[in-house]
Amino acid sequence: MSSLYQHGTLAMLMGKQMQGTASVAELLAHGDTGIGTFEGLDGEGIILDGKVYQALSNGQVVQVTDQDVLLPFVSVHFHEPTEVLPFSEVDFGTLSSKLEKFQLDNIFAAIKFHGKFSHVHTRVVAKQTIPFPSLLDVSKNQPEFHRDDVAGTLVGYYAPEIFNGPTAAGWHVHFLSDDKKFAGHVLDFSATEVDGTLQLFDDFIQHLPIDNAEFRDMSLDLDGLSSGIKASEGRKA
Ligand SMILES: [Zn+2]
C-alpha cells in the first residue's frame, strides 16, 4: 500500500499561516503527484509526473522549475494506482456514487482522471501579503474560470470527515489542461471520456513546520474552524 504525505494543514491557513514552509525539492522527495498552494496563497498548485505547475489568479499557468519555491500547504503521493476505474464519464455530482463500492468514507484516496472534459469550473486564490488575512476573507473574493471541451488531467484527494481541519474533508481536486494553459482548484467538472485511476492510502503522513516561529505561536479558533473550512473550501455543484 502507499502513503499520502501532507505538509502543513488547512487549519494553519485558517489561522493566517500562509508563509511558505516547505520547498518544491522537499515535496518532490515525497511524491510525483499532488495539489497545494504557494506562499501567500499565490495561486493553486498541481503536481503531475514530478512537475509542479502554478495556476495564477490572472488566469495564467506557469511551470515552477525553481526547487526553492516555498509552499505552506500541499499534499503529494507517488502515483501507483490501486484501481483502474471502469467508467469514462463522470462529474462532481456523481463522483462519490460511482466510487461507492470502494468504500472511501473512512480512508484517504487519490483520483486521477485524464481525457476529455465537457466543462471545468475552477477558482484560483489571489496572492496575499503580510499581514496575512484569514482564509475565510480570502475566499470571499477569488477569481473563477470556466472552460468547455478541454483535454486535461484532474488530480486530487478524498479525506475522511474526521480529518476536517488538518485538510478539507471530502473531495479536494485540481485540474491542469494538456496544453498547460488552464488550471485551478476545481469547483465543478464534467468529464465525457476519461481514463481514471484510484489509489488508496494506508498511511497518512502529516508533516509540520516546527522551525517556523509564527506557526509555533499560532492559536486557533477551533469552534470557527469547520464552518470556516466549509465556507472557504466548499464546492458549488
Ligand atoms: Zn485547492
Side-chain angles (χ1 to χ4, degrees):
M1 292 290 275
S2 53
S3 305
L4 170 60
Y5 178 92
Q6 178 172 295
H7 173 78
T9 66
L10 187 59
M12 285 163 56
L13 300 184
M14 298 300 298
K16 308 182 182 182
Q17 303 301 306
M18 297 170 187
Q19 62 277 13
T21 42
S23 70
V24 165
E26 284 170 65
L27 294 166
L28 292 180
H30 296 279
D32 55 17
T33 303
I35 60 176
T37 187
F38 296 88
E39 182 157 63
L41 297 188
D42 188 12
E44 309 282 344
I46 180 164
I47 300 151
L48 279 181
D49 304 320
K51 296 188 178 103
V52 180
Y53 300 89
Q54 182 177 19
L56 301 166
S57 61
N58 64 5
Q60 292 186 327
V61 182
V62 294
Q63 188 181 340
V64 179
T65 52
D66 181 351
Q67 299 289 298
D68 297 329
V69 165
L70 296 172
L71 301 91
F73 178 51
V74 60
S75 302
V76 291
H77 69 284
F78 287 104
H79 181 64
E80 289 157 358
T82 36
E83 307 284 343
V84 174
L85 297 172
F87 52 84
S88 60
E89 212 176 319
V90 59
D91 56 46
F92 226 154
T94 58
L95 178 60
S96 290
S97 62
K98 289 205 173 214
L99 297 176
E100 203 169 3
K101 72 167 183 164
F102 298 107
Q103 286 191 289
L104 300 183
D105 283 2
N106 298 317
I107 63 172
F108 284 94
I111 48 164
K112 183 173 177 182
F113 291 118
H114 177 258
K116 294 179 185 166
F117 294 75
S118 57
H119 188 73
V120 181
H121 175 193
T122 61
R123 71 115 211 264
V124 179
V125 184
K127 184 176 180 164
Q128 308 298 310
T129 49
I130 294 168
F132 292 128
S134 79
L135 187 60
L136 196 53
D137 285 335
V138 175
S139 70
K140 284 175 188 154
N141 180 23
Q142 52 195 356
E144 296 185 13
F145 302 91
H146 295 266
R147 210 51 120 238
D148 291 328
D149 301 319
V150 57
T153 307
L154 184 120
V155 164
Y157 299 99
Y158 180 85
E161 192 69 40
I162 194 171
F163 289 92
N164 199 47
T167 186
W171 292 105
H172 180 188
V173 295
H174 287 190
F175 181 84
L176 176 67
S177 66
D178 282 354
D179 66 9
K180 315 284 194 285
K181 288 181 175 162
F182 175 72
H185 171 103
V186 174
L187 296 175
D188 204 8
F189 75 91
S190 182
T192 47
E193 207 183 321
V194 287
D195 294 318
T197 56
L198 179 72
Q199 185 165 344
L200 309 182
F201 301 106
D202 58 354
D203 274 315
F204 174 64
I205 300 166
Q206 173 67 70
H207 186 259
L208 296 172
I210 65 166
D211 296 328
N212 186 271
E214 289 95 341
F215 165 61
R216 298 295 289 267
D217 279 345
M218 173 184 73
S219 65
L220 264 182
D221 164 23
L222 278 180
D223 290 339
L225 188 62
S226 46
S227 59
I229 287 174
K230 201 170 178 201
S232 59
E233 292 298 303
R235 70 184 179 86
K236 299 165 194 167

